[in-house]
Amino acid sequence: MNDYPLVDQDPAPDRYGRLRVRAGDLSPADWLTRSELGALGTVAGVAAPGFAAYARILNPAELDERPVRWSTVAAAHGTRVTPVTRWHEVIGTDQDHVDRSDHGLPGVWDEHPGQGPTPPDVARALLPVLARHTGTPDRCWFGLWSGYGRWDWGRFATFGTPGREEVLLSGRLADAVSPVTLDEFAELPDLWWPQDRAWIVGGDVDLVSTYVGGSPELIADLLAAADLEAHPVSDGDRVG
């Protein structure tokens, strides 16, 4: 259900970009809802339990609309980035007093990492890596939180994940970023997985990171990807 209904919501589309919104049969998500879900606030709660390895992908900060790595910001602030470091720790402030209007550190960063599901540029960097590690890149499933306020998803069935109700979508992996064709600010799906369940991608409206579960080989490829700032994590690690 939509926890924050808005008076001026538009009717939800039948296609979210090039992804098809599934009106009835939610059985492709049964493996998520029937498994022992991870605890809320953990890697397995955002992605899914049971994978051999996991990675955390950091949403970049920005300087003059160009991406800036957390490690660069940390070096300037005299802090360090570990696999479970949160953004407020990088910039040396209290978690409850992060001012999103703060203009950062001149010459280093001027925009905080974007909160929400995987940013489009991060998603584009993920796509070729993920495609190499599934046999079904043209048959993928996606979950979109029904609480994003732009559209009214009430006519569609949802499936539950820890703390969220998700609308089910289907399409090709290559089309994961296509919702931005509807609106440049449209949220990408929170969850992505291929038909063969070789991996899962998980994000959330409250996070500045994306989490991926999969094989050790996939995680190694993500950690080595030049366009991603990634760290290995465990399924029980806290998220941020």
Side-chain angles (χ1 to χ4, degrees), residues 155-233:
R155 66 190 177 95
F156 292 103
T158 60
F159 64 94
T161 61
R164 303 292 181 219
E165 291 293 326
E166 307 277 337
V167 178
L168 183 65
L169 306 97
S170 63
R172 302 182 306 157
L173 175 60
D175 292 332
V177 190
S178 67
V180 298
T181 62
L182 288 175
D183 182 324
E184 65 176 315
F185 300 110
E187 292 86 3
L188 299 193
D190 305 87
L191 293 168
W192 320 357
W193 70 92
Q195 179 68 28
D196 62 9
R197 302 181 196 168
W199 43 256
I200 190 165
V201 174
D204 188 81
V205 64
D206 291 330
L207 300 181
V208 291
S209 308
T210 295
Y211 293 87
V212 181
S215 67
E217 292 78 14
L218 166 61
I219 301 309
D221 272 2
L222 292 173
L223 299 179
D227 294 335
L228 297 171
E229 188 174 10
H231 293 269
V233 290

Side-chain angles (χ1 to χ4, degrees), residues 57-73:
I57 314 296
L58 303 177
N59 297 356
E62 291 186 355
L63 177 66
D64 298 329
E65 300 185 355
R66 299 189 303 272
V68 178
R69 289 176 174 254
W70 289 31
S71 58
T72 300
V73 176

Side-chain angles (χ1 to χ4, degrees), residues 104-118:
L105 192 63
V108 179
W109 67 280
D110 57 18
E111 290 290 341
H112 297 271
Q115 277 186 310
T118 312

